PDB file of all heavy atoms in Angstrom:
ATOM      1  N   ILE A  95      15.882  -3.613 -30.652  1.00 90.00           N
ATOM      2  CA  ILE A  95      15.435  -4.868 -29.957  1.00 90.00           C
ATOM      3  C   ILE A  95      15.892  -6.077 -30.666  1.00 90.00           C
ATOM      4  O   ILE A  95      16.335  -7.013 -29.977  1.00 90.00           O
ATOM      5  CB  ILE A  95      13.811  -4.783 -29.967  1.00 90.00           C
ATOM      6  CG1 ILE A  95      13.391  -3.557 -29.055  1.00 90.00           C
ATOM      7  CG2 ILE A  95      13.258  -6.103 -29.428  1.00 90.00           C
ATOM      8  CD1 ILE A  95      13.838  -3.525 -27.670  1.00 90.00           C
ATOM      9  N   GLU A  96      15.886  -6.072 -31.955  1.00 91.00           N
ATOM     10  CA  GLU A  96      16.351  -7.276 -32.710  1.00 91.00           C
ATOM     11  C   GLU A  96      17.845  -7.534 -32.499  1.00 91.00           C
ATOM     12  O   GLU A  96      18.299  -8.663 -32.319  1.00 91.00           O
ATOM     13  CB  GLU A  96      16.147  -7.037 -34.193  1.00 91.00           C
ATOM     14  CG  GLU A  96      14.652  -7.212 -34.709  1.00 91.00           C
ATOM     15  CD  GLU A  96      14.010  -8.572 -34.126  1.00 91.00           C
ATOM     16  OE1 GLU A  96      14.616  -9.660 -34.304  1.00 91.00           O
ATOM     17  OE2 GLU A  96      12.939  -8.470 -33.638  1.00 91.00           O
ATOM     18  N   PHE A  97      18.616  -6.405 -32.383  1.00 92.00           N
ATOM     19  CA  PHE A  97      20.109  -6.521 -32.060  1.00 92.00           C
ATOM     20  C   PHE A  97      20.216  -7.138 -30.671  1.00 92.00           C
ATOM     21  O   PHE A  97      21.059  -8.052 -30.571  1.00 92.00           O
ATOM     22  CB  PHE A  97      20.719  -5.106 -32.090  1.00 92.00           C
ATOM     23  CG  PHE A  97      22.129  -5.059 -31.754  1.00 92.00           C
ATOM     24  CD1 PHE A  97      23.160  -5.528 -32.495  1.00 92.00           C
ATOM     25  CD2 PHE A  97      22.388  -4.572 -30.408  1.00 92.00           C
ATOM     26  CE1 PHE A  97      24.449  -5.412 -32.045  1.00 92.00           C
ATOM     27  CE2 PHE A  97      23.726  -4.500 -29.956  1.00 92.00           C
ATOM     28  CZ  PHE A  97      24.765  -4.957 -30.845  1.00 92.00           C
ATOM     29  N   CYS A  98      19.441  -6.642 -29.790  1.00 89.00           N
ATOM     30  CA  CYS A  98      19.668  -7.157 -28.311  1.00 89.00           C
ATOM     31  C   CYS A  98      19.218  -8.699 -28.276  1.00 89.00           C
ATOM     32  O   CYS A  98      19.758  -9.400 -27.490  1.00 89.00           O
ATOM     33  CB  CYS A  98      18.712  -6.375 -27.421  1.00 89.00           C
ATOM     34  SG  CYS A  98      19.348  -4.666 -27.098  1.00 89.00           S
ATOM     35  N   LYS A  99      18.287  -9.098 -29.172  1.00 88.00           N
ATOM     36  CA  LYS A  99      17.830 -10.528 -29.112  1.00 88.00           C
ATOM     37  C   LYS A  99      18.937 -11.442 -29.707  1.00 88.00           C
ATOM     38  O   LYS A  99      18.878 -12.646 -29.453  1.00 88.00           O
ATOM     39  CB  LYS A  99      16.560 -10.684 -29.915  1.00 88.00           C
ATOM     40  CG  LYS A  99      15.408 -10.116 -29.181  1.00 88.00           C
ATOM     41  CD  LYS A  99      14.160 -10.301 -30.026  1.00 88.00           C
ATOM     42  CE  LYS A  99      12.946  -9.847 -29.365  1.00 88.00           C
ATOM     43  NZ  LYS A  99      11.746 -10.031 -30.164  1.00 88.00           N
ATOM     44  N   GLN A 100      19.972 -10.964 -30.238  1.00 92.00           N
ATOM     45  CA  GLN A 100      21.022 -11.718 -30.896  1.00 92.00           C
ATOM     46  C   GLN A 100      22.127 -12.175 -29.874  1.00 92.00           C
ATOM     47  O   GLN A 100      22.847 -12.985 -30.079  1.00 92.00           O
ATOM     48  CB  GLN A 100      21.797 -11.024 -32.008  1.00 92.00           C
ATOM     49  CG  GLN A 100      20.907 -10.530 -33.162  1.00 92.00           C
ATOM     50  CD  GLN A 100      20.173 -11.820 -33.868  1.00 92.00           C
ATOM     51  OE1 GLN A 100      20.736 -12.757 -34.110  1.00 92.00           O
ATOM     52  NE2 GLN A 100      18.854 -11.557 -34.028  1.00 92.00           N
ATOM     53  N   PHE A 101      22.023 -11.567 -28.709  1.00 92.00           N
ATOM     54  CA  PHE A 101      23.074 -11.895 -27.668  1.00 92.00           C
ATOM     55  C   PHE A 101      22.816 -13.224 -27.078  1.00 92.00           C
ATOM     56  O   PHE A 101      21.715 -13.663 -26.937  1.00 92.00           O
ATOM     57  CB  PHE A 101      23.105 -10.881 -26.485  1.00 92.00           C
ATOM     58  CG  PHE A 101      23.652  -9.543 -26.950  1.00 92.00           C
ATOM     59  CD1 PHE A 101      22.845  -8.501 -27.363  1.00 92.00           C
ATOM     60  CD2 PHE A 101      24.946  -9.334 -26.778  1.00 92.00           C
ATOM     61  CE1 PHE A 101      23.407  -7.269 -27.649  1.00 92.00           C
ATOM     62  CE2 PHE A 101      25.616  -8.091 -27.189  1.00 92.00           C
ATOM     63  CZ  PHE A 101      24.768  -7.104 -27.565  1.00 92.00           C
ATOM     64  N   ARG A 102      23.963 -13.926 -26.810  1.00 92.00           N
ATOM     65  CA  ARG A 102      23.878 -15.327 -26.031  1.00 92.00           C
ATOM     66  C   ARG A 102      24.822 -15.144 -24.888  1.00 92.00           C
ATOM     67  O   ARG A 102      25.976 -15.002 -25.072  1.00 92.00           O
ATOM     68  CB  ARG A 102      24.264 -16.354 -27.075  1.00 92.00           C
ATOM     69  CG  ARG A 102      23.373 -16.602 -28.191  1.00 92.00           C
ATOM     70  CD  ARG A 102      22.014 -17.009 -27.759  1.00 92.00           C
ATOM     71  NE  ARG A 102      21.054 -17.096 -28.961  1.00 92.00           N
ATOM     72  CZ  ARG A 102      19.942 -16.357 -28.964  1.00 92.00           C
ATOM     73  NH1 ARG A 102      19.663 -15.567 -28.111  1.00 92.00           N
ATOM     74  NH2 ARG A 102      19.144 -16.515 -30.040  1.00 92.00           N
ATOM     75  N   PRO A 103      24.324 -15.335 -23.746  1.00 92.00           N
ATOM     76  CA  PRO A 103      22.938 -15.587 -23.345  1.00 92.00           C
ATOM     77  C   PRO A 103      22.070 -14.385 -23.653  1.00 92.00           C
ATOM     78  O   PRO A 103      22.592 -13.287 -23.787  1.00 92.00           O
ATOM     79  CB  PRO A 103      22.971 -15.823 -21.855  1.00 92.00           C
ATOM     80  CG  PRO A 103      24.218 -15.191 -21.350  1.00 92.00           C
ATOM     81  CD  PRO A 103      25.214 -15.240 -22.548  1.00 92.00           C
ATOM     82  N   PRO A 104      20.727 -14.666 -23.830  1.00 87.00           N
ATOM     83  CA  PRO A 104      19.816 -13.555 -24.302  1.00 87.00           C
ATOM     84  C   PRO A 104      19.713 -12.438 -23.238  1.00 87.00           C
ATOM     85  O   PRO A 104      19.938 -12.695 -22.045  1.00 87.00           O
ATOM     86  CB  PRO A 104      18.506 -14.253 -24.478  1.00 87.00           C
ATOM     87  CG  PRO A 104      18.620 -15.514 -23.876  1.00 87.00           C
ATOM     88  CD  PRO A 104      20.052 -15.873 -23.744  1.00 87.00           C
ATOM     89  N   VAL A 105      19.616 -11.209 -23.713  1.00 90.00           N
ATOM     90  CA  VAL A 105      19.357 -10.109 -22.772  1.00 90.00           C
ATOM     91  C   VAL A 105      18.021 -10.348 -22.094  1.00 90.00           C
ATOM     92  O   VAL A 105      16.986 -10.612 -22.739  1.00 90.00           O
ATOM     93  CB  VAL A 105      19.360  -8.750 -23.707  1.00 90.00           C
ATOM     94  CG1 VAL A 105      19.001  -7.645 -22.767  1.00 90.00           C
ATOM     95  CG2 VAL A 105      20.671  -8.611 -24.409  1.00 90.00           C
ATOM     96  N   PRO A 106      17.969 -10.281 -20.814  1.00 92.00           N
ATOM     97  CA  PRO A 106      16.786 -10.442 -20.020  1.00 92.00           C
ATOM     98  C   PRO A 106      15.654  -9.461 -20.518  1.00 92.00           C
ATOM     99  O   PRO A 106      15.946  -8.363 -20.945  1.00 92.00           O
ATOM    100  CB  PRO A 106      17.168 -10.137 -18.658  1.00 92.00           C
ATOM    101  CG  PRO A 106      18.646 -10.289 -18.595  1.00 92.00           C
ATOM    102  CD  PRO A 106      19.112  -9.935 -19.922  1.00 92.00           C
ATOM    103  N   ARG A 107      14.372  -9.852 -20.491  1.00 90.00           N
ATOM    104  CA  ARG A 107      13.277  -9.156 -20.873  1.00 90.00           C
ATOM    105  C   ARG A 107      13.149  -7.745 -20.162  1.00 90.00           C
ATOM    106  O   ARG A 107      12.810  -6.729 -20.793  1.00 90.00           O
ATOM    107  CB  ARG A 107      12.014  -9.838 -20.760  1.00 90.00           C
ATOM    108  CG  ARG A 107      11.834 -11.017 -21.816  1.00 90.00           C
ATOM    109  CD  ARG A 107      10.483 -11.761 -21.560  1.00 90.00           C
ATOM    110  NE  ARG A 107       9.342 -10.866 -21.452  1.00 90.00           N
ATOM    111  CZ  ARG A 107       8.398 -10.810 -22.408  1.00 90.00           C
ATOM    112  NH1 ARG A 107       8.524 -11.560 -23.522  1.00 90.00           N
ATOM    113  NH2 ARG A 107       7.429 -10.000 -22.350  1.00 90.00           N
ATOM    114  N   ASN A 108      13.436  -7.747 -18.891  1.00 90.00           N
ATOM    115  CA  ASN A 108      13.325  -6.510 -18.155  1.00 90.00           C
ATOM    116  C   ASN A 108      14.405  -5.482 -18.653  1.00 90.00           C
ATOM    117  O   ASN A 108      14.141  -4.295 -18.654  1.00 90.00           O
ATOM    118  CB  ASN A 108      13.371  -6.696 -16.661  1.00 90.00           C
ATOM    119  CG  ASN A 108      14.683  -7.324 -16.158  1.00 90.00           C
ATOM    120  OD1 ASN A 108      15.388  -8.034 -16.909  1.00 90.00           O
ATOM    121  ND2 ASN A 108      15.035  -7.039 -14.953  1.00 90.00           N
TER     122      ASN A 108
END
Side-chain angles (χ1 to χ4, degrees):
I95 296 299
E96 290 303 317
F97 173 76
C98 289
K99 287 180 178 180
Q100 301 302 314
F101 286 94
R102 295 292 175 246
V105 175
R107 287 178 54 108
N108 61 334

